[in-house]
Amino acid sequence: MASKRAVQLSLKMPTHAVCVVGVAAHVDVRSDVPKGANSFRVSGSSGVEIFMVYNRTHVTKPIGKARWPLDTDADMVVSVGTASKELRDFKVRVSYYGEQEDQALGHSMLYLTGVDISLEVDTGRTGKVKRSQGDKKTWRWGPEGYGAILLVNCDRDNHRSTEPDLTHSWLMSLADLQDMSPMVLSCNGPDKLFDSHKLVLNMPVSDSKRMRVFCARGGNSLSDYKQVLGPQRLSYEVERQSGEQEIRFYVEGLTFPDADFLGLVSLSVSLVDTGSLPEVTLFTDTVGFRMAPWIMTPNTQPPEELYVCSVTDTHGSNEKFLEDMSYLTLKANCKLIICPRVENRNDRWIQDEMEFGYIEAPHKSFPVVFDSPRNRGLKDFPYKRILGPDFGYVTREIPLSGPSSLDSFGNLDVSPPVTVGSMEYPLGRILIGSSFPKSGGRQMARVVRNFLKAQQVQAPVELYSDWLSVGHVDEFLTFVPTSDQKGFRLLLASPSACLKLFQEKKEEGYGEAAQFDGLKHQAKISINEMLADRHLQRDNLHAQKCIDWNRNVLKRELGLAESDIVDIPQLFFLKNFYAEAFFPDMVNMVVLDKYLGIPKPYGPIINGRCCLEEKVQSLLEPLGLHCIFIDDYLSYHELQGEIHCGTNVRRKPFPFKWWNMVP
């Protein structure tokens, strides 16, 4: 931006001014004029552009050799196209004339020194810093948008450190520079100009805890990168060296968007005249950034790693379950990572402990694990074992009170991309369980909900999960990928579908077929007995009403039709007014592309096959999915969890770039 002050001309002595390349400078041609003068004419040397600014409806432009009247409402503006090689090498001459005279009554000389000052960032979001002639301060969403992006430097690139890179005020590794956004300061002009002028880099006080700036001096050692701006350091006088035309900086993001931070920050550089008292700022250039949001990935994204815990309990180890997970990952061409007992402290609920996501800028992307505030046996695993080079970490702690079950991340999910009316959600929508529509009850901590909402790109939807004993959304819903135009289906646990199936089997003459057939540690119960059990019927009528309430919310908020939903047979029972799965909860599955690791329900055996498994296969396999039923009864189901609760999947990021959406 140019200074609002106009350059004052003088008849007695030449005027000297600094002109920033590409920035118009206003010139006051009326402050000192010869007596009797009523018009003026302007000329300039090569490299100077001179133009008059006026209202065409009120002012007529002079024709030919005619001069500009002094009393007309027109302002003179000059600019230069290149930086000067020497001081005052651009010239502008203003000649003043009287009413009848062709001889000038006097002249004013303006000597300009051109200087190229510009702060450049990746405004065009190409991954490269290019010179921009547009608005660099404003940030715009959408495919036609613009504005630079910062990554929160939340990974740990140096193996000697135990903390995320952003906790250090100095550079720990040259690889760390890749996690920062480059910024270039153009400072081309005569060296002598900078004897009486300085360049000052500034950041607002409100942004000082959000980012740091490092100055690069071209070397390959850590000492060549100096922190110049950040917390407790709001300004930096640029150390320009003789002949230097560009200075490189790296900008580091420190905090994610949150309830108290919209995600926007800015930096500016000012050209300051130190030869006057007080010092005068001649020009300021400002650039804006948006902090990259943390983005969740739905089941429809290809899997890259499956995490599972090795544990031991009164029934022994879960070694067979681990073997089943190994088989599943082999089929899905996905890497298996087993968290050993020494690291999980016999806490098997790895889905509850953390959620995988990622952050992305045009020049770099890396996964980031969101550590839940549940803080049980696995509490150190995300920080100590997952945080590392190009693998970030973020968490939110609950102030003043402990977490509830709804703060575990089995209660956190995300839909595939959806369109709701005219509103597109190309990265899907986050789903969290709450006590709504009940008054009171349990809900996810506000600090976590605020964080998720502040990311803006996956607008959260609150569902009703407090009817469940554990209270997690993964107990009654999941998403699976399909190869048709829709691309996915929502699976909902359905007591009514289960009871309908059992009624059909009874009418076919299989009423004595028993649930839990084949299980040593669980008493069998026949189809006839289940259908005759009034308490079980009542409990599942209640469960179905709760699920139907969520069904309507999901249809409305995700733009789903009934054909997009598949009802998976499932029964529940109430214990102390809260529901638990009556048999292994099949929607609580792990989804690895088209391979589904489904809790084995141990349903009634009819003609040599489990009727529940057969029903689920008939629903899902026509969609191109492969159902693999896995025994989790003793190691997970009896502890009020299932396969999804005991596993966690890191998935590939979306190909869609978040900055191209419009929240």
Side-chain angles (χ1 to χ4, degrees), residues 154 256 258 353 368-375 379 382-383 392-398 409 447-448 451:
C154 58
F256 281 96
D258 215 323
E353 181 59 38
V368 175
V369 61
F370 186 9
D371 189 1
S372 82
R374 73 187 279 267
N375 293 340
K379 67 177 183 177
Y383 192 84
Y393 173 93
V394 64
T395 191
R396 288 294 181 269
E397 294 294 337
I398 303 173
F409 284 171
V447 67
V448 177
F451 173 84

Side-chain angles (χ1 to χ4, degrees), residues 6 20 36 44 94 96 115-116 190 223 282 293 324 326 331 363 379 383 396 468 472 506 538 546 576 611 653:
V20 177
V94 180
Y96 296 93
V115 58
D116 186 8
S223 60
L282 302 179
D324 291 335
S326 179
K331 297 287 286 185
H363 68 282
K379 67 177 183 177
Y383 192 84
R396 288 294 181 269
L468 291 152
H472 294 176
K506 176 183 177 180
R538 179 199 61 199
C546 295
N576 298 324
C611 67

Side-chain angles (χ1 to χ4, degrees), residues 341-499:
R341 296 179 186 88
V342 68
E343 293 178 1
N344 65 52
R345 292 180 285 189
N346 233 37
D347 179 5
R348 70 199 68 204
W349 310 117
I350 197 165
Q351 177 62 49
D352 289 341
E353 181 59 38
M354 61 190 188
E355 184 69 46
F356 288 113
Y358 68 96
I359 58 175
E360 183 174 24
H363 68 282
K364 180 74 180 284
S365 174
F366 58 80
V368 175
V369 61
F370 186 9
D371 189 1
S372 82
R374 73 187 279 267
N375 293 340
R376 289 166 62 178
L378 277 161
K379 67 177 183 177
D380 295 329
F381 180 71
Y383 192 84
K384 290 186 176 180
R385 302 301 297 172
I386 294 180
L387 170 64
D390 285 343
F391 211 129
Y393 173 93
V394 64
T395 191
R396 288 294 181 269
E397 294 294 337
I398 303 173
L400 303 178
S401 64
S404 76
S405 176
L406 272 67
D407 294 315
S408 297
F409 284 171
N411 194 34
L412 174 63
D413 208 338
V414 64
S415 79
V418 293
T419 299
V420 185
S422 61
M423 188 66 187
E424 294 183 355
Y425 298 94
L427 302 174
R429 299 191 70 177
I430 287 172
L431 306 175
I432 57 176
S434 181
S435 60
F436 192 78
K438 290 196 314 185
S439 59
R442 301 168 297 172
Q443 60 181 344
M444 184 175 283
R446 183 178 298 277
V447 67
V448 177
R449 287 183 285 130
N450 286 346
F451 173 84
L452 296 171
K453 181 179 179 181
Q455 307 313 304
Q456 295 193 64
V457 295
Q458 295 175 306
V461 177
E462 286 199 38
L463 299 174
Y464 176 35
S465 66
D466 194 30
W467 61 278
L468 291 152
S469 179
V470 175
H472 294 176
V473 293
D474 68 354
E475 297 177 77
F476 64 87
L477 70 82
T478 193
F479 295 91
V480 293
T482 60
S483 56
D484 56 10
Q485 185 175 3
K486 184 66 180 182
F488 72 90
R489 293 293 187 277
L490 166 64
L491 308 189
L492 286 178
S494 177
S496 62
C498 190
L499 293 172

Side-chain angles (χ1 to χ4, degrees), residues 536-570:
L536 189 62
Q537 294 284 330
R538 179 199 61 199
D539 292 352
N540 281 282
L541 180 62
H542 169 72
Q544 189 63 60
K545 287 180 179 179
C546 295
I547 293 170
D548 286 345
W549 192 93
N550 286 301
R551 185 191 202 96
N552 291 330
V553 173
L554 289 162
K555 288 170 66 176
R556 181 179 69 248
E557 297 297 333
L558 301 183
L560 302 180
E562 276 296 323
S563 59
D564 302 324
I565 302 173
V566 178
D567 291 307
I568 302 298
Q570 185 63 48

Side-chain angles (χ1 to χ4, degrees), residues 108-123:
S108 292
M109 291 299 301
L110 172 61
Y111 292 91
L112 298 172
T113 301
V115 58
D116 186 8
I117 304 297
S118 177
L119 203 55
E120 299 296 337
V121 291
D122 182 18
T123 306

